[in-house]
Amino acid sequence: MKEFEPSEYDLLREGQIVFTCIHPAAHPEEVQALLDKKVIAFTAEDSHRYGSPNCEAAGKQGALFGLESMLTINGGKGKFVSGLGGAPGMKVMILGGGTVGQAALSVLHALGAWCTVMDINIGTLRSISRQYQEQVNTMISTKENIRKLLPETDLVLNCVKWPKGCRDYLIDRPMLKLMEKGSVIVDISNDDQGAIESFHETTHENPRYIEEGIVHYCVGNIPGAIAHSTSIAYAASVLPHFRSLAAYGVAEACARDGYLRRSLTAYKGYLTHEETSALQNRPWIRPEEILKITEKDPDPAPPATVTRSDHYIRL
């Protein structure tokens, strides 16, 4: 369930339906191969009505990797999550209150950490406060608020879906100096030019690096560490799409489910993914138009990202 590798491009064939985590906006060569081969491609990460299982897995396991990174033997300051008699527990800042952030919060709160969740959506923050009986702090996510809390924060988890192309940061390099040495940043979102300026991707073989005395954990495929559970959860999420495609065909299945339709990335040589069009400057056509279902009052779904493109293909 990951991107196609160049060695696999020749295995693609015209009219074939492929459904995997394509991440098309970040992989122009892969997109070109899908278009050249005239396949029908769905990018799985955009198809989840209730949030991606990968996001839940990354949030929960990313929280545990943050605790592991806090250990003295891994370069951290050596704080225990809930504290010990006479020794206070960890203070955690979670950036982003979506599926990833709420998954991380569920683990850390249960283990006794003192958690603050930051988000730009006041409704999300209110919902989190009520869910945890006001035992979790919430704040509007701004650079100024983050700067205020960093000196007393032990662990930061970045769970923000950062707009591609944005050149600002929530935590820039000078802000690392505000944190106590041995504090930890876990960049679960794992985006180049993302919310954390000091981010660079790492692997499970060498997951951590230290910059300005701050331990960074930036593994790109956190769910791969719990592959068994993640695979089962992912299968449960996408199985209804497979059943619908098999029962109704591509056009009708996409009309019935807006989340499946918004994940359509390429259709028989045409790009149908808006974010990819915007970031790669490629012309695209709306799935409703190429599938000829505009008159069917298709099931609605919110856009997968805030990125927009008016570089349309006119049939």
Side-chain angles (χ1 to χ4, degrees), residues 171-189:
I171 298 179
D172 56 35
R173 280 196 171 86
M175 291 168 69
L176 298 181
K177 294 184 171 69
L178 299 173
M179 302 179 72
E180 190 177 33
K181 303 299 183 185
S183 298
V184 174
I185 293 176
V186 179
D187 197 338
I188 300 176
S189 291

Side-chain angles (χ1 to χ4, degrees), residues 195-259:
I196 310 295
E197 185 178 12
S198 52
F199 161 85
H200 66 76
E201 187 172 358
T202 60
T203 65
H204 287 295
E205 289 73 26
N206 188 22
R208 281 172 281 269
Y209 60 91
I210 297 177
E211 188 164 330
E212 297 290 347
I214 307 305
V215 181
H216 290 63
Y217 184 98
C218 302
V219 171
N221 183 20
I222 290 175
I226 49 172
H228 179 83
S229 294
T230 302
S231 298
I232 292 174
Y234 218 101
S237 178
V238 301
L239 181 58
H241 291 321
F242 294 168
R243 287 175 169 165
S244 184
L245 287 167
Y248 304 113
V250 172
E252 181 63 20
C254 286
R256 287 169 173 260
D257 193 320
Y259 286 81

Side-chain angles (χ1 to χ4, degrees), residues 257-307:
D257 193 320
Y259 286 81
L260 178 64
R261 186 174 67 254
R262 79 177 190 182
S263 72
L264 185 65
T265 300
Y267 185 83
K268 299 181 179 180
Y270 291 91
L271 179 68
T272 55
H273 196 262
E274 184 174 15
E275 182 186 41
T276 301
S277 168
L279 296 181
Q280 297 181 17
N281 195 30
R282 296 176 185 264
W284 77 297
I285 186 168
R286 298 182 187 278
E288 297 87 348
E289 296 178 25
I290 194 69
L291 296 174
K292 298 181 172 60
I293 59 173
T294 53
E295 304 301 321
K296 288 191 173 186
D297 191 23
D299 175 61
T305 73
V306 298
T307 307

Side-chain angles (χ1 to χ4, degrees), residues 27-201:
H27 296 91
E29 292 182 1
E30 180 188 21
V31 170
Q32 191 60 53
L34 296 173
L35 297 175
D36 290 343
K37 294 295 184 175
K38 297 184 177 181
V39 301
I40 300 168
F42 293 89
T43 185
E45 64 271 16
D46 289 346
S47 72
H48 306 286
R49 186 175 292 270
Y50 305 107
S52 170
N54 271 354
C55 291
E56 180 184 7
K60 289 183 174 180
Q61 188 59 47
L64 295 178
F65 281 137
L67 301 183
E68 182 184 36
S69 300
M70 182 65 67
L71 299 178
T72 309
I73 57 176
N74 290 322
K77 65 173 71 171
K79 269 195 169 183
F80 186 65
V81 56
S82 61
L84 305 171
M90 290 167 48
K91 291 185 177 179
V92 177
M93 179 193 301
I94 298 174
L95 302 178
T99 304
V100 179
Q102 291 187 43
L105 175 62
S106 69
V107 170
L108 292 166
H109 179 76
L111 292 175
W114 299 89
C115 298
T116 298
V117 179
M118 291 195 170
D119 200 277
I120 59 173
N121 188 322
I122 189 67
T124 296
L125 297 178
R126 285 173 177 162
S127 176
I128 289 172
S129 291
R130 288 194 299 267
Q131 181 180 350
Y132 287 91
Q133 291 79 48
E134 318 301 331
Q135 295 177 16
V136 170
N137 290 326
T138 60
M139 294 181 71
I140 292 294
S141 182
T142 66
K143 203 165 185 175
E144 290 72 20
N145 281 341
I146 293 169
R147 187 179 286 111
K148 289 177 186 176
L149 287 191
L150 281 181
E152 60 185 65
T153 297
D154 302 302
L155 170 63
V156 176
L157 294 101
N158 176 37
C159 309
V160 174
K161 191 172 185 178
W162 199 242
K164 289 181 173 60
C166 181
R167 294 296 181 263
D168 197 8
Y169 304 98
L170 286 179
I171 298 179
D172 56 35
R173 280 196 171 86
M175 291 168 69
L176 298 181
K177 294 184 171 69
L178 299 173
M179 302 179 72
E180 190 177 33
K181 303 299 183 185
S183 298
V184 174
I185 293 176
V186 179
D187 197 338
I188 300 176
S189 291
N190 214 256
D191 290 321
D192 284 318
Q193 294 182 332
I196 310 295
E197 185 178 12
S198 52
F199 161 85
H200 66 76
E201 187 172 358

